[in-house]
Amino acid sequence: FARLGQYYCLSRLLEICLLILMAATAAQQEPKKAFYKCTDLTPDLCDLDVEQGSVMVRGIPVVYWQYTSDKSHQSSSSLLPIIAIHGGPSFTHHYMLPLQQQACRGRPIVFYDQAGCGASLPKNTTHFKLDDYPWLLDPNYYAQDELPALLQHFGWTKDGSFHIIANSWGTMLTQLYAIAANTDHQEVLPASMVLSGPLSDSVAYIQAQWDPVDGNLGTLPTYIQSRIHALQDAQAWDSSEYQALDAVLTTHFTLRTAPAPDCWKASEEGVNLDVYSAMQGPSEFGMAGVLGDFNTTSQLPSIRQPVLLTHGRYDTMRPSIVQTIQDQLPHVERVMLLRSGHVSMIDEAGLMNDYVADFFERVENGHFRGKQVQNTTMTASIDVLQESFLNKFLSRSVMFLSTTLLLALGIGYLFGNRQQSRRQQYELVA
């Protein structure tokens, strides 16, 4: 009986240890909950209807979500719909969801996951193999196959029947689409485009980041710069130091809303790292993959539609990169958001939605300002962003000058009366 008791105690001890191990494993696997929700940081949201569907493109279901409100359902509404194109590559649509506020203003907006990431994975596939889908590394697939298939699905087959909002890598494939549509006329032309955090030249983009005066990386402390270069030379992408640097610098230049909200975390969880690494390259501080020699700059003048360029003050896309695109586009406006990194739709969700809505409304009403001079330096601080500030400054300046003048007149009047009184008193004494 003593031996049986020992066996029983030992078995109970093993059972307890197993339970502890299972609990610890579950705790490690449980995803960290985001402190912030994108629905909370996006102002003026309303109850929206969401329709989910998919379009089969080369054997992969490309999943989309269409957001509409009562305003966009009204038959009297003539506002054009929007298709939103996420970045990455292969980063999923979730981080762009603050732009769903456009549906509350009466515009249907469609988000989708590009093939290979998020919900847009091949059916009956337990493990995604990139070798089976080599076209996912071809930028033209996204611009000439995937996007046109979605537009066809929604019946947006007439020129000027929709708008595009794109961010980062999404601006690159949008340029490819718009250039082809304007030159060979085989694709449907959008009414306008918003390119957020745009680039047209990968080599210039990396060089601009390391610029010692205006670059985001080039203005870091020299020791940190040297550590980044050393890690890149050693290809130590998986090192804890590299991961720590990447995490910190992301909060400086990519997403300044930190800790990251739920929609950003959802995109991180849905990213296809195989596609991302092959397209972008293994380093966050360079571009050595398929997109390493991407350059559409010389072809941008062929885009005849109105374009709004938006970028953050702390954006990875430095002002010189955005300026290059602005100089080449015939019909363009530009806005800098002063508190944003690369993801303005999260960092300044309300302001970004306001600019987008205002731009689309003016385009449709024929009030697009655009640029008159090729080398204009129009930025938000001059054009749109600080317009209200300038008005307030001017009005306050006028009020200050008026008040100062009145005060001076009042002092002069009192001083004059006092002097006159003194003269009268002197005359009486004399």
Side-chain angles (χ1 to χ4, degrees):
F1 286 104
R3 183 170 292 179
L4 288 174
Q6 290 176 353
Y7 285 145
Y8 175 76
C9 291
L10 182 60
S11 65
R12 291 294 297 169
L13 181 61
L14 290 173
E15 184 179 347
I16 292 172
C17 291
L18 181 61
L19 289 173
I20 293 173
L21 181 61
M22 292 173 62
T25 303
Q28 291 177 353
Q29 293 177 346
E30 183 179 354
K32 294 182 180 179
K33 184 178 180 181
F35 289 104
Y36 309 126
K37 295 182 178 180
C38 286
T39 52
D40 292 336
L41 59 83
T42 307
D44 303 321
L45 283 179
C46 62
D47 292 331
L48 294 171
D49 297 325
V50 184
E51 174 193 344
Q52 180 177 339
S54 64
V55 178
M56 194 65 68
V57 185
R58 291 204 190 184
I60 299 178
V62 177
V63 180
Y64 66 81
W65 296 261
Q66 184 176 31
Y67 286 73
T68 56
S69 67
D70 290 339
K71 287 185 178 180
S72 54
H73 283 312
Q74 295 173 359
S75 59
S76 59
S77 176
S78 59
L79 300 180
L80 298 179
I82 306 166
I83 188 163
I85 305 176
H86 66 74
S90 200
F91 199 59
T92 85
H93 77 285
H94 297 89
Y95 77 95
M96 296 187 74
L97 282 175
L99 293 169
Q100 67 183 280
Q101 192 220 71
Q102 296 298 311
C104 296
R105 302 173 185 251
R107 294 185 186 279
I109 183 167
V110 173
F111 301 89
Y112 70 98
D113 285 345
Q114 294 161 23
C117 71
S120 299
L121 296 173
K123 293 183 177 179
N124 303 320
T125 301
T126 56
H127 179 67
F128 180 88
K129 295 181 180 179
L130 186 55
D131 291 341
D132 296 333
Y133 307 94
W135 57 86
L136 295 183
L137 302 184
D138 181 3
N140 289 313
Y141 156 76
Y142 300 93
Q144 297 176 8
D145 290 356
E146 190 174 85
L147 180 55
L150 285 160
L151 300 176
Q152 182 72 30
H153 174 78
F154 288 105
W156 302 343
T157 56
K158 294 182 179 180
D159 289 346
S161 59
F162 63 95
H163 299 286
I164 293 177
I165 299 178
N167 173 248
S168 193
W169 144 248
T171 70
M172 301 166 79
L173 76 89
T174 299
Q175 291 170 57
L176 292 175
Y177 175 86
I179 290 168
N182 278 276
T183 53
D184 61 24
H185 306 289
Q186 293 182 2
E187 306 297 350
V188 184
L189 294 169
S192 73
M193 291 163 280
V194 175
L195 304 183
S196 175
L199 76 155
S200 62
D201 183 340
S202 295
V203 174
Y205 154 62
I206 297 302
Q207 291 174 345
Q209 290 202 80
W210 288 102
D211 184 271
V213 176
D214 197 39
N216 50 347
L217 300 177
T219 54
L220 290 172
T222 53
Y223 179 75
I224 298 300
Q225 293 187 50
S226 68
R227 291 308 306 152
I228 293 174
H229 286 305
L231 291 167
Q232 289 191 134
D233 293 341
Q235 298 184 2
W237 323 125
D238 296 327
S239 69
S240 57
E241 182 185 2
Y242 174 84
Q243 297 296 331
L245 280 169
D246 179 38
V248 170
L249 295 179
T250 292
T251 64
H252 282 255
F253 309 120
T254 304
L255 177 69
R256 303 187 74 231
T257 303
D262 58 352
C263 63
W264 178 265
K265 287 182 172 292
S267 286
E268 287 184 324
E269 292 170 4
V271 65
N272 186 322
L273 290 176
D274 292 336
V275 174
Y276 178 84
S277 297
M279 296 277 277
Q280 155 82 21
S283 173
E284 290 294 327
F285 312 116
M287 190 172 283
V290 173
L291 299 176
D293 59 354
F294 182 91
N295 192 337
T296 57
T297 305
S298 63
Q299 299 171 282
L300 294 178
S302 66
I303 299 177
R304 310 303 302 176
Q305 292 69 46
V307 177
L308 172 64
L309 303 174
T310 73
H311 59 112
R313 175 190 282 180
Y314 307 96
D315 206 320
T316 52
M317 305 305 163
R318 305 311 300 150
S320 62
I321 299 303
V322 184
Q323 183 67 51
T324 295
I325 300 174
Q326 180 182 351
D327 289 343
Q328 296 299 316
L329 290 170
H331 309 290
V332 62
E333 294 179 3
R334 175 178 167 189
V335 169
M336 176 189 287
L337 291 97
L338 299 183
R339 294 179 177 84
S340 292
H342 189 47
V343 190
S344 301
M345 62 283 302
I346 293 180
D347 284 339
E348 294 183 81
L351 202 57
M352 180 68 177
N353 272 289
D354 287 344
Y355 287 138
V356 168
D358 173 71
F359 175 71
F360 288 158
E361 181 179 356
R362 288 188 290 105
V363 167
E364 293 179 20
N365 292 333
H367 297 152
F368 172 73
R369 288 190 291 268
K371 69 177 184 182
Q372 303 300 322
V373 181
Q374 186 75 0
N375 294 319
T376 179
T377 57
M378 177 181 63
T379 62
S381 60
I382 298 174
D383 180 42
V384 179
L385 184 60
Q386 299 294 349
E387 200 169 295
S388 60
F389 172 80
L390 290 173
N391 290 337
K392 290 179 181 179
F393 175 78
L394 290 173
S395 62
R396 289 177 181 177
S397 298
V398 171
M399 290 178 62
F400 174 77
L401 292 173
S402 300
T403 303
T404 303
L405 180 61
L406 289 173
L407 183 62
L409 291 173
I411 292 173
Y413 175 77
L414 292 174
F415 182 79
N417 281 346
R418 179 172 295 183
Q419 292 294 99
Q420 180 67 22
S421 175
R422 285 180 178 178
R423 283 196 296 270
Q424 290 175 352
Q425 292 176 3
Y426 173 80
E427 290 172 357
L428 288 173
V429 171

